[in-house]
Amino acid sequence: MNSVKSIFRILTSLAIILWLLSSCQEKIEYPIEPEIAFQDYLYLLNSDSTIDRGLLILSFTDGDGDIGLVDDVDTLPPYDFNLFIDYYEFREGEWKQLVDPSSGDTINFNGRIPMLTPAGKNKNISGTIEDTLFLNLFSDYDSFRYEVYIKDRALHESNRIVTPILLKP
């Protein structure tokens, strides 16, 4: 019986030590405005071994976890897009944003990030966002880049990042 009490005391002591150690972990807190950073850009091969798309990879953080749109619900401005990507080409010695000749609008690759809000009390969130973008294969210019930012559901705008110079394959 004494050995059972000893084992119980040891297990209780270990449980208390583990609980104390886990409660000492520092909780990461991010600002409520989302923040993004460039991670990578990968060219994607088609089934015929040609490249006409690229994969833009970003990291993100958000302190209140309110990133994302709900399909079939969030469809009208300002909730039609939450990923904003402007396309630039290096032309005649400067970076120029492309303009659609038929409409006069600038060309962009705006998109939608799905709902990412975590369950539970702690809404701090971090992760990666990947977006597949078609390449402008009809351009005479080979150097391009993207300017990117996101907005959360409270319409907080993230920092704006510019990708490194990318080259058409």
Side-chain angles (χ1 to χ4, degrees), residues 6 26 56 79 93-94 102 112 115 138-139 144 159 164 166:
S6 295
E26 189 175 324
L56 177 64
Y79 297 105
E94 63 181 309
S102 63
R112 294 171 56 87
M115 188 64 73
F138 302 105
S139 173
F144 66 98
N159 58 309
L166 303 167

Side-chain angles (χ1 to χ4, degrees), residues 1-15:
M1 199 63 161
N2 241 351
S3 64
V4 173
K5 286 184 180 180
S6 295
I7 292 172
F8 180 74
R9 285 185 188 139
I10 291 171
L11 289 176
T12 303
S13 298
L14 283 173

Side-chain angles (χ1 to χ4, degrees), residues 155-166:
L155 302 179
H156 295 125
E157 189 174 305
S158 75
N159 58 309
R160 291 176 181 252
I161 61 139
V162 176
T163 66
I165 297 171
L166 303 167

Side-chain angles (χ1 to χ4, degrees), residues 28-31 34-36 58-67 116-118 122-129 150:
I28 297 173
E29 290 194 25
Y30 303 115
E35 186 170 317
I36 60 171
L58 309 169
S59 63
F60 74 92
T61 62
D62 187 55
D64 56 3
D66 63 343
I67 292 178
L116 301 176
T117 304
N122 184 2
K123 298 297 184 189
N124 281 302
I125 188 171
S126 65
T128 57
I129 297 168
I150 65 174

Side-chain angles (χ1 to χ4, degrees), residues 98-113:
L98 255 58
V99 175
D100 181 350
S102 63
S103 68
D105 293 334
T106 55
I107 295 176
N108 62 58
F109 293 96
N110 295 345
R112 294 171 56 87
I113 303 167

